[in-house]
Amino acid sequence: MTSIVAGLAVVLLFAHQQGSLQGVLDLFWLGSSNREDVIEGVAEISDGDTLKIGDVRLRIGKIDAPESDQTCTTPSGKSWRCGDVAAAKLGKLVAGRIVTCRKTDSDRYGRIVGDCSVEGQDIARWMVGAGWAMAYRRYSWRYVFDEFQAKRLKRGVWIGTMQPPWDWRASH
């Protein structure tokens, strides 16, 4: 028990020195990876959580963005194409920059699922924090706090109402 408390104290001290507990927690999620599990290059965007690097289609793991033809509603009740906007926001984030993805899994459509970054910035965290995607709790709770913050601050899709993408797909 003493070693657990000492270890926790070291983690918290390091987090304090780094100015962020999230950065320390990310170390536990990143783990090690083989070089063949890393895909890098300039990305083309398919939608708000899918991209293509070269011939490889990748799904950004642990998040779910509105589908391309999905709509959301403003507070006044006006419908808007939030899926298209989410894809455009992702496109702007990665435009002309090298994207690095570490394979974590494969999905039922044969896409690689991975943790992706651009110039060291976690793409999933950015998309969820900016309100253009949701934490995909079915697979991970990693971005739940980021989603809570985006919703609280009414960022992106949270300006009005949105059906979670997994529910939207099930009904279409």
Side-chain angles (χ1 to χ4, degrees), residues 129-131 145-156 158-159:
F145 180 74
D146 302 279
E147 180 185 309
F148 171 77
Q149 287 290 89
K151 193 172 187 177
R152 186 179 68 81
L153 297 170
K154 298 189 183 303
R155 293 180 179 153
W158 301 114
I159 194 166

Side-chain angles (χ1 to χ4, degrees), residues 1-16 21 24-25 28:
M1 181 67 169
T2 305
S3 61
I4 293 172
V5 172
L8 183 57
V10 168
V11 167
L12 292 174
L13 177 62
F14 182 71
H16 176 71
L21 179 58
V24 174
L25 293 175
F28 293 102

Side-chain angles (χ1 to χ4, degrees), residues 94-171:
V94 303
R97 299 162 75 190
I98 299 297
V99 173
T100 302
C101 295
R102 182 179 301 112
K103 180 181 177 180
T104 58
D105 203 353
S106 295
D107 69 11
R108 64 183 180 190
Y109 304 108
R111 295 177 297 190
I112 290 173
V113 177
D115 294 329
C116 300
S117 63
V118 61
E119 296 177 3
Q121 182 175 25
D122 182 337
I123 293 172
R125 172 157 289 121
W126 187 90
M127 288 294 289
V128 173
W132 300 114
M134 296 178 73
Y136 208 165
R137 290 164 180 80
R138 178 177 178 186
Y139 299 102
S140 174
W141 285 69
R142 185 172 181 183
Y143 302 111
V144 170
F145 180 74
D146 302 279
E147 180 185 309
F148 171 77
Q149 287 290 89
K151 193 172 187 177
R152 186 179 68 81
L153 297 170
K154 298 189 183 303
R155 293 180 179 153
V157 297
W158 301 114
I159 194 166
T161 59
M162 176 188 78
Q163 184 178 23
W166 49 87
D167 288 343
W168 188 89
R169 282 191 300 274
S171 67

Side-chain angles (χ1 to χ4, degrees), residues 72-80 159-161:
C72 295
T73 308
T74 66
S76 65
K78 183 179 179 189
S79 186
W80 60 287
I159 194 166
T161 59

Side-chain angles (χ1 to χ4, degrees), residues 30-134:
L30 292 177
S32 63
S33 114
N34 295 326
R35 191 69 201 150
E36 63 265 12
D37 289 340
V38 175
I39 300 101
E40 288 184 310
V42 175
E44 297 174 29
I45 304 308
S46 300
D47 61 29
D49 56 24
T50 308
L51 43 85
K52 186 175 178 186
I53 300 175
D55 294 332
V56 181
R57 280 181 40 93
L58 298 129
R59 184 164 190 321
I60 300 169
K62 303 172 187 72
I63 68 170
D64 202 4
E67 295 298 321
S68 294
D69 51 349
Q70 185 173 347
T71 59
C72 295
T73 308
T74 66
S76 65
K78 183 179 179 189
S79 186
W80 60 287
R81 295 184 57 93
C82 56
D84 287 342
V85 175
K89 296 294 183 177
L90 177 59
K92 187 174 180 180
L93 175 67
V94 303
R97 299 162 75 190
I98 299 297
V99 173
T100 302
C101 295
R102 182 179 301 112
K103 180 181 177 180
T104 58
D105 203 353
S106 295
D107 69 11
R108 64 183 180 190
Y109 304 108
R111 295 177 297 190
I112 290 173
V113 177
D115 294 329
C116 300
S117 63
V118 61
E119 296 177 3
Q121 182 175 25
D122 182 337
I123 293 172
R125 172 157 289 121
W126 187 90
M127 288 294 289
V128 173
W132 300 114
M134 296 178 73

